[in-house]
Amino acid sequence: MTHADEVIERAHSVVAALRAKREREAERRKEVFGRIDIGKPLPMPNRGIQLSLNIQLSLKLQMTAQKGRQTAPSSTERRGPSPALSSS
């Protein structure tokens, strides 16, 4: 058997092994996911439910976030004036 024949034979064996592995995995997935039952649908209430919504708290948080952005120093205030812009 020549070197080329050996390489071809090894390639065929690798392809066969991968195909067998893929088929085993497909079979395993079919078994595992075939057993999973979709649960019963959740019961719907007979009448509507009022959900609480704390608007005051959300407005307060929003205003605090906006105030924090307004009072933060800009990048030029933190560094000071640029040396290139100052006159000598």
Side-chain angles (χ1 to χ4, degrees):
M1 184 180 265
T2 66
H3 178 70
D5 291 336
E6 291 175 8
V7 170
I8 292 170
E9 186 65 34
R10 283 196 304 258
H12 283 296
S13 65
V14 168
V15 169
L18 290 174
R19 181 179 298 132
K21 181 180 177 184
R22 187 172 58 242
E23 290 172 356
R24 283 192 308 270
E25 283 293 315
E27 192 64 34
R28 185 191 68 80
R29 277 194 303 276
K30 190 185 299 183
E31 286 179 19
V32 169
F33 294 115
R35 288 182 292 197
I36 296 174
D37 294 327
I38 297 176
K40 295 178 186 175
L42 295 174
M44 292 300 293
N46 293 337
R47 57 191 173 110
I49 298 174
Q50 179 68 42
L51 300 175
S52 64
L53 178 62
N54 191 347
I55 294 175
Q56 295 299 323
L57 179 62
S58 62
L59 286 174
K60 186 183 246 185
L61 290 173
Q62 207 173 33
M63 288 172 52
T64 305
Q66 288 175 352
K67 186 184 265 187
R69 282 194 297 259
Q70 290 173 353
T71 60
S74 68
S75 61
T76 56
E77 290 174 349
R78 278 186 260 138
R79 285 186 275 145
S82 173
L85 297 177
S86 63
S87 56
S88 302

